[in-house]
């Protein structure tokens, strides 16, 4: 075997080992991937009972009911559909009716979303990107969702440059 053939054999073997390793990693990650859906997407897709996914939308005003032992039920809406959610645990401090929420869990046989994780917006201007995109698609997006509160101090020029670069990276 010549030196060139040996080198090509080593390179080919290395690529084969790398491909097998990548396939094993991707196969292992496939089970942990959780997809995002809105209530109307859940109704359209007819997601199977027990299949894990993330549900996002707005907490329906007047739907929050607190029960015993940290049990909570509420409804998540996206403007055209509503899905009941039940959760047992401590809700985030900023969780409230009329605000954006992302819950992770699965549908039960009765059509109630059983959440094991609930995420709420973390300040007055934040909304998960998936929720904002879904609201824009449904036509329920308000232009003041991303507006700064009145009286907020203007950031330093360096902070503005960083925010502009981040915005460019997100929109691409």
């Amino acid at each position: 075997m010549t030196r060139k053939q040996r080198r090509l054999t080593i390179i080919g073997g290395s690529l084969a080992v790398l491909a097998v390793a990548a396939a094993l990693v991707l196969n292992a990650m496939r089970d942990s991937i959780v997809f995002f859906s809105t209530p109307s997407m859940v109704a359209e897709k007819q997601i199977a009972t027990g299949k894990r996914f993330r549900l996002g939308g707005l907490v329906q005003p007047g739907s929050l009911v607190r029960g015993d032992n940290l049990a909570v039920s509420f409804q998540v809406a996206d403007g055209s559909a509503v899905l009941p959610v039940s959760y047992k645990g401590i809700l985030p401090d900023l969780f409230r009716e009329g605000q954006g929420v992302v819950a992770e869990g699965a549908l039960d046989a009765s059509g109630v979303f059983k959440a094991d994780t609930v995420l709420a917006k973390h300040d007055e201007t934040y909304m998960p990107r998936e929720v904002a995109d879904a609201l824009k698609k449904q036509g329920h997006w308000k232009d003041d969702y991303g507006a700064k509160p009145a009286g907020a101090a203007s950031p330093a020029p360096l902070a503005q440059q960083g925010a502009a670069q981040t915005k460019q990276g997100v929109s691409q």
Side-chain angles (χ1 to χ4, degrees):
M1 186 180 263
T2 66
R3 190 174 188 176
K4 185 175 182 180
Q5 289 174 333
R6 196 174 15 196
R7 190 179 321 146
L8 287 176
T9 303
I10 291 173
I11 291 173
S14 299
L15 288 176
V17 168
L18 184 63
V20 168
L24 289 173
V25 168
L26 291 174
N27 189 35
M29 288 177 49
R30 180 175 50 180
D31 294 336
S32 65
I33 293 174
V34 180
F35 294 102
F36 174 85
S37 297
T38 62
S40 59
M41 291 168 67
V42 172
E44 289 173 8
K45 292 180 185 177
Q46 297 180 354
I47 295 176
T49 301
K51 181 172 171 53
R52 290 188 55 80
F53 65 97
R54 285 186 178 168
L55 174 69
L58 300 175
V59 177
Q60 193 75 9
S63 68
L64 182 62
V65 177
R66 296 183 187 272
D68 295 335
N69 297 327
L70 301 175
V72 178
S73 64
F74 55 93
Q75 294 180 344
V76 174
D78 64 356
S80 61
V82 177
L83 189 65
V85 177
S86 69
Y87 175 69
K88 187 171 184 174
I90 298 173
L91 289 170
D93 290 338
L94 297 175
F95 178 90
R96 60 186 175 274
E97 296 176 347
Q99 297 296 320
V101 66
V102 174
E104 188 173 328
L107 285 173
D108 67 3
S110 63
V112 175
F113 185 79
K114 299 285 186 184
D116 51 37
T117 305
V118 174
L119 307 170
K121 58 188 256 182
H122 64 74
D123 69 11
E124 68 276 357
T125 60
Y126 174 76
M127 182 175 296
R129 183 175 180 186
E130 296 90 359
V131 174
D133 291 344
L135 287 173
K136 286 178 184 178
K137 186 176 179 182
Q138 296 290 330
H140 295 286
W141 179 259
K142 296 178 186 172
D143 287 332
D144 63 346
Y145 282 144
K148 291 182 181 177
S154 62
L158 253 125
Q160 289 175 346
Q161 289 175 352
Q165 290 171 351
T166 304
K167 187 175 181 181
Q168 286 177 341
V170 169
S171 64
Q172 292 176 349

